[in-house]
Amino acid sequence: MNPTQREARIRELAREIWEAEGRPDGQQTRHWAMAERLVDAEIRAAAEDTPPAGETP
């Protein structure tokens, strides 16, 4: 995932979190931080699921 894709995914998740919490005002920083952690976990999980080059799953 390149930086542009990462930021787009964070933005998407932050909005979903905001909506799930009832669209509260003043929580942008917290929602962004939560989304960042989720995206970074997704990236790590995807990397762990990817077999090393030359190996098949």
Side-chain angles (χ1 to χ4, degrees):
M1 180 179 294
N2 68 41
T4 302
Q5 292 170 321
R6 180 179 178 272
E7 184 173 337
R9 179 68 176 140
I10 291 168
R11 186 176 315 284
E12 175 186 10
L13 285 175
R15 181 173 180 85
E16 290 177 12
I17 294 165
W18 173 69
E19 289 178 352
E21 290 187 359
R23 300 179 177 184
D25 289 333
Q27 299 297 313
Q28 303 90 315
T29 302
R30 186 174 63 83
H31 293 156
W32 189 269
M34 290 172 66
E36 254 184 333
R37 287 191 299 272
L38 289 169
V39 169
D40 289 342
E42 288 177 352
I43 292 168
R44 283 191 305 273
E48 290 172 5
D49 288 342
T50 303
E55 290 186 25
T56 56

